[in-house]
Amino acid sequence: MTVVDRDEVVAALDEEWEALANLAGALEPDEWTLPTDCPGWDVKAHYSHILGLEAMLLGRPAPDQTLPPARHVRNDLGRINELWVVTYRDRPVTDLIADLGEVIITRRVALARMHQEEFDAEAMTPAGPDTYGRFMRLRVMDQWFHEQDVRVATGRRGHLDGWAPQCALAEVRMALGYAVGKRAKAPQGSSVRFELTGPIQGRIDVDVPDRAVVVDRLVGRPTVTIEIPGDAFLRIAAGRVGPGDGPKLATRIDGDRALGDQLLDGLAYMI
């Protein structure tokens, strides 16, 4: 069970919601229909998705819609997400922003009433059974990634400092053993060091004695060391980078270059 500081994750949600509102206010009318790195979604779809999940956390039902066939909808969660996207697709952006603002205000009130004990209580999260606090940290990560999708699509790089990107990094770090071992298929006996640079900094060591696991520090020299901007590393893990493009984002790869390329090509673990 993951204990998450209630005040920190609430501050991260507040920060993320503020960033999303400011970004929405800066967008030009024609930018809302720009395609993004999420297949089938334009900029507007990301905001519709964020609105939908936060509304559902308030206990509101998903819209009653008939979904047209879409190749990017591949599971039940995808279908639920798409219901909100389709609902707002032809509605004015002003309606979407107004509804999102109302939902965020209501969510802030609900969170303000919750104490640390409630954040420590068991809950079902997208990562399986854990604490409600972990669920909220996952919500920060999800929204920050979608904010970055909008920023990349519109050429507005930003929000790489603060609580929200650190929440995203913490969540990716928790999943990195699975991503390195199962997704990227690092061989037994290897070890990996990620040196993250830029505003999102850090060092993450992964050892693969049998199954891959994140460790505090490796013993001896890593099989491969990958230096990469932190935001690029997170986008790779989130599956936002196309096949073959991951290695191009690294600043340097020391040691087993082939393994480094393999990791950056296969690290994506999110759906």
Side-chain angles (χ1 to χ4, degrees):
M1 303 295 283
T2 309
V3 176
V4 176
D5 185 274
R6 179 253 178 222
D7 293 344
E8 289 184 4
V9 78
V10 169
L13 282 166
D14 280 336
E15 173 190 298
E16 183 54 40
W17 289 331
E18 186 75 14
L20 285 164
N22 290 338
L23 179 57
L27 296 178
E28 299 294 338
D30 60 345
E31 290 182 302
W32 287 93
T33 57
L34 290 175
T36 70
D37 288 332
C38 289
W41 279 14
D42 58 12
V43 166
K44 189 179 181 183
H46 288 269
Y47 276 89
S48 302
H49 162 65
I50 291 167
L51 162 62
L53 282 184
E54 292 303 310
M56 291 174 70
L57 285 170
L58 292 170
R60 300 177 185 179
D64 184 11
Q65 288 275 2
T66 300
L67 291 181
R71 293 180 62 184
H72 61 277
V73 178
R74 292 175 287 184
N75 52 41
D76 288 341
L77 179 59
R79 281 185 281 276
I80 293 171
N81 291 337
E82 201 69 14
L83 287 171
W84 295 93
V85 171
V86 170
T87 295
Y88 282 92
R89 180 168 291 153
D90 296 324
R91 292 181 60 181
V93 169
T94 51
D95 286 359
L96 170 60
I97 297 307
D99 290 351
L100 178 60
E102 183 274 325
V103 164
I104 287 173
I105 289 171
T106 309
R107 285 279 289 132
R108 280 178 165 145
V109 171
L111 289 168
R113 293 170 177 163
M114 298 183 70
H115 301 288
Q116 184 66 48
E117 292 79 9
E118 293 164 282
F119 270 64
D120 295 344
E122 185 172 355
M124 182 55 67
T125 82
D130 209 319
T131 61
Y132 186 81
R134 171 87 191 281
F135 189 10
M136 292 303 98
R137 193 170 72 181
L138 284 161
R139 290 301 307 127
V140 177
M141 178 188 74
D142 180 67
Q143 293 179 68
W144 183 79
F145 273 128
H146 288 296
E147 178 202 342
Q148 294 303 309
D149 291 327
V150 173
R151 290 187 179 278
V152 170
T154 62
R156 287 180 167 83
R157 186 173 186 267
H159 195 194
L160 302 179
D161 291 305
W163 288 110
Q166 289 304 313
C167 281
L169 180 59
E171 281 299 325
V172 170
R173 189 182 191 279
M174 286 188 69
L176 204 56
Y178 167 78
V180 167
K182 294 292 187 181
R183 300 292 298 177
K185 303 186 186 306
Q188 269 189 348
S190 64
S191 57
V192 187
R193 172 165 289 164
F194 295 96
E195 296 279 7
L196 309 184
T197 62
I200 305 174
Q201 299 183 4
R203 169 182 286 177
I204 308 176
D205 287 343
V206 182
D207 197 15
V208 195
D210 180 13
R211 55 184 295 182
V213 59
V214 175
V215 296
D216 290 336
R217 189 171 183 84
L218 293 169
V219 176
R221 179 174 294 184
T223 307
V224 61
T225 297
I226 300 172
E227 182 180 291
I228 186 170
D231 56 322
F233 168 78
L234 291 176
R235 288 190 65 76
I236 291 171
R240 265 55 171 194
V241 174
D245 290 335
K248 300 174 186 176
L249 300 177
T251 307
R252 65 180 174 88
I253 300 176
D254 291 339
D256 189 334
R257 176 72 198 219
L259 177 58
D261 288 348
Q262 176 183 322
L263 289 164
L264 292 173
D265 261 341
L267 201 62
Y269 72 95
M270 297 182 191
I271 59 174

